[in-house]
Amino acid sequence: MVAESFCQNHQNDDEEEELEAPFILGLQPSALVDNVAHVDLSLLDRIPGERGGSIPVAIEELEHILREVKSNSNSSNDDSSMMKTMAGGSVANTIRGLSSGFGISSGIIGACGDDEQGQLFVNNMSSNGVDLSRLRKKKGHTAQCVCLVDELGNRTMRPCLSNAVKVQAQELLKEDFKGSKWLVLRYAILNLEVIQAAIALAKQEGLLVSLDLASFEMVRNFKQPLLKLLESGNIDLCFANEDEATELLRGEQNADPIAAVEFLAKYCQWAVVTLGSNGCIARHGKEMIRVSAIGESKATDATGAGDLFASGFLYGVVKGLPLEECCKVGTCSGGSVIRSLGGEVTSENWQWMYKQMQFIILHLLSIGTTAIITIYGWFGRPVKAQ
């Protein structure tokens, strides 16, 4: 399968001018398009698998779900039931958030198809400032996912990766990672070979690696390969939500979030367990803290909450903020995406987040840290403490 890079579409006319490598890279082997819609519980009952999780489906099942959702929306006069389509995938959400919300130079490694969904992915990510020079374009289909959001804001995800194009382990190049500082990953057994290859190349180039545990089903069903990844010592930062943390320690006498953070901290420099509306627990070295959520506790849609939390937390880490402030920035950005449908933060909700940042700024001022200067100037629009 012949792959075409998007790099030529993003270079200056002067071909000799070398592009600066993105500070943070995300590996998402298959570009993915999210189809997001509000649905009632009766529709969820007609879909195989547990509510709230993420299990792969075949193309026939995905098309069946899309028809069910369309039928449901056609019978409703509520505009909120209409489906939204956007570039998706956990890593893409995090990378897009870092670029568009925090002004961090970010790029993505992966592949998209030469179809309508592939072009949608490219247009959406490039319009948010994401470097696509490491995204391969291949003949074939782009992956899709149906994200079903219930009345409580919880999401049930059904990705369809079968027959979708993807970047293979042998296609990764040392040059893909050269000059970058971080690699962002999401655990997936189908992508384990390419994940391992990416980690090996990233470590050769001195990158730090962040890993998200993906879903409680992924942890439950493929725990041993995950433990080997952690035990390798190559994962510097690990994110888990409460359900994933419970699965990670299932069978242990103590399987609460604190125990999960302590377990992950044995292998990673930074360990974080997110607790939804209850905030998060994090550990770095000997320091462990718990931070409450910021903003409203009721979510319109929880899709992307963990992904955008990772955007904010990573921003804090790369800017050298204290652990508590890393968590607070994470809860701010995670809180921004749940205010509307889908995993992409709207301009209005970024502005909401910037206002929440005032409290972080005031705290940093109170403790006299020079890290305060890193909070100002996103998009040239400083956040001023009132």
Side-chain angles (χ1 to χ4, degrees), residues 170-317:
Q170 63 270 23
E171 294 176 313
L172 297 179
L173 304 171
K174 188 176 180 180
E175 289 71 24
D176 288 331
F177 304 89
K178 189 176 182 63
S180 295
K181 303 301 181 185
W182 276 89
L183 174 65
V184 175
L185 304 168
R186 183 177 192 261
Y187 182 58
I189 195 65
L190 292 176
N191 295 328
L192 186 58
E193 184 180 0
V194 69
I195 287 171
Q196 292 170 330
I199 292 174
L201 290 169
K203 286 303 176 180
Q204 288 178 27
E205 293 299 316
L207 276 70
L208 296 170
V209 175
S210 167
L211 179 70
D212 183 276
L213 297 196
S215 71
F216 63 83
E217 296 105 331
M218 192 65 66
V219 176
R220 175 191 299 165
N221 297 328
F222 306 103
K223 184 175 177 179
Q224 289 307 311
L226 171 60
L227 291 177
K228 287 185 178 181
L229 274 183
L230 294 171
E231 291 166 358
S232 72
N234 288 326
I235 307 302
D236 301 283
L237 165 57
C238 189
F239 293 105
N241 65 28
E242 194 167 4
D243 292 337
E244 294 154 6
T246 299
E247 286 296 335
L248 188 63
L249 296 184
R250 182 173 292 280
E252 301 291 331
Q253 184 174 2
N254 189 359
D256 63 24
I258 293 177
V261 168
E262 291 176 338
F263 177 83
L264 291 171
K266 292 192 297 184
Y267 308 107
C268 310
Q269 294 186 52
W270 294 271
V272 185
V273 173
T274 56
L275 307 172
S277 61
N278 293 317
C280 70
I281 301 173
R283 180 164 181 167
H284 176 50
K286 295 182 179 180
E287 181 182 11
M288 180 183 288
I289 63 154
R290 181 165 187 157
V291 169
S292 300
I294 294 175
E296 304 95 337
S297 59
K298 180 176 174 56
T300 298
D301 173 16
T303 302
D307 308 333
L308 270 296
F309 176 94
S311 299
F313 190 92
L314 276 164
Y315 174 83
V317 169

Side-chain angles (χ1 to χ4, degrees), residues 26-32 91 108-112 135-136 138 164-168 171-172 185-186 188 190-192 194-195:
L27 174 72
Q28 186 167 303
S30 294
L32 184 142
V91 171
I108 195 161
I109 302 172
C112 70
L135 181 69
R136 283 79 165 171
K138 298 184 176 184
V165 300
K166 64 183 289 186
V167 69
Q168 304 293 334
E171 294 176 313
L172 297 179
L185 304 168
R186 183 177 192 261
L190 292 176
N191 295 328
L192 186 58
V194 69
I195 287 171

Side-chain angles (χ1 to χ4, degrees), residues 82-101:
M82 300 301 292
M83 182 177 292
K84 292 176 64 176
T85 305
M86 64 194 71
S90 177
V91 171
N93 289 341
T94 297
I95 292 299
R96 181 175 53 204
L98 280 161
S99 177
S100 64

Side-chain angles (χ1 to χ4, degrees), residues 4-6 31 108 110-112 121-122 132-137:
E4 172 189 343
S5 172
F6 283 94
I108 195 161
C112 70
F121 184 90
V122 169
L132 300 181
S133 61
R134 294 157 185 79
L135 181 69
R136 283 79 165 171
K137 182 179 180 180

Side-chain angles (χ1 to χ4, degrees), residues 24 90 93-104 106 182 184 210 237 239 270 272 274 280 294 304-337 345 350 353-354 357 360 374-375 378:
I24 297 182
S90 177
N93 289 341
T94 297
I95 292 299
R96 181 175 53 204
L98 280 161
S99 177
S100 64
F102 293 98
I104 297 292
S106 305
W182 276 89
V184 175
S210 167
L237 165 57
F239 293 105
W270 294 271
V272 185
T274 56
C280 70
I294 294 175
D307 308 333
L308 270 296
F309 176 94
S311 299
F313 190 92
L314 276 164
Y315 174 83
V317 169
V318 302
K319 291 298 184 179
L321 299 184
L323 182 62
E324 182 176 356
E325 274 58 50
C326 291
C327 291
K328 287 181 178 178
V329 178
T331 58
C332 278
S333 54
S336 68
V337 75
V345 182
W350 278 131
M353 189 199 76
Y354 298 144
M357 302 298 293
I360 300 176
T374 68
I375 296 292
W378 292 323

